[in-house]
Amino acid sequence: MAGGKSKGLGSEPGVKIIAENRRARFDYTVDEKVEAGLELTGSEVKALRDGTASLADAYALPKGAELFLLNAHIGSYKAASVFDHLPTRGRKVLMHRAEIDRWTAKVRERGYSIIPLVLYFKKGRAKVELGLCRGKTHDDRRQDIKERETKRELDRAMRRR
């Protein structure tokens, strides 16, 4: 699509993006992605509907046969008062067991990390898009910047014609 946004989650019907982890694509190379559910409390869902979430330092870790999302900040919901949640508590990720086992093996053996990329509502349910990522080196970042600048120059040249 020339000049427009690429198709992503925001263009799907029934999807409302709450938070994006833009820094993740700069710091990591994303090899695989998967959509997963989250086990949330009522006050967390209400806070997400208000849009008070951040994935800045979040990551997922396998514990036993389960996967937990850690350091994801979901702000407090004022109307919950006494029944409010802790903003950065660990939240269980809902995925198929085989997929959790496969990703856990890659994390333990090959030095991958599981990073949340996008937090969104899909048909009224809170979902997280997780990426199986490998950290970028300084040279990888330089190469990405060089490719981006080259593409930008080509686009400009094509528009001048």
Side-chain angles (χ1 to χ4, degrees), residues 5 43 57 59-60 68 72-73 94 102-103 109 123-124 138:
K5 286 187 176 181
S43 63
D57 297 324
Y59 59 97
F68 286 89
H73 186 275
L94 307 174
R102 191 169 57 83
W103 278 35
E109 292 172 13
K123 297 180 183 174
H138 186 67

Side-chain angles (χ1 to χ4, degrees), residues 7-20 35 49 118-129:
K7 282 201 165 206
L9 285 172
S11 61
E12 285 185 34
V15 173
K16 179 187 172 203
I17 294 177
I18 302 161
E20 269 188 272
E35 177 183 84
R49 292 200 190 284
V118 185
L119 185 62
Y120 56 96
F121 280 109
K122 184 175 182 181
K123 297 180 183 174
R125 307 226 182 237
K127 301 283 184 179
V128 63
E129 182 178 78

Side-chain angles (χ1 to χ4, degrees), residues 64-111:
E66 298 176 334
L67 195 63
F68 286 89
L69 183 64
L70 305 172
N71 274 1
H73 186 275
I74 298 177
S76 62
Y77 182 64
K78 290 174 181 54
S81 64
V82 180
F83 304 103
D84 207 8
H85 60 275
L86 296 172
T88 57
R89 76 174 185 91
R91 294 164 181 93
K92 188 174 171 183
V93 176
L94 307 174
M95 286 173 56
H96 289 283
R97 174 63 50 83
E99 195 126 35
I100 291 173
D101 292 343
R102 191 169 57 83
W103 278 35
T104 300
K106 286 186 178 182
V107 167
R108 290 201 174 118
E109 292 172 13
R110 301 185 197 140

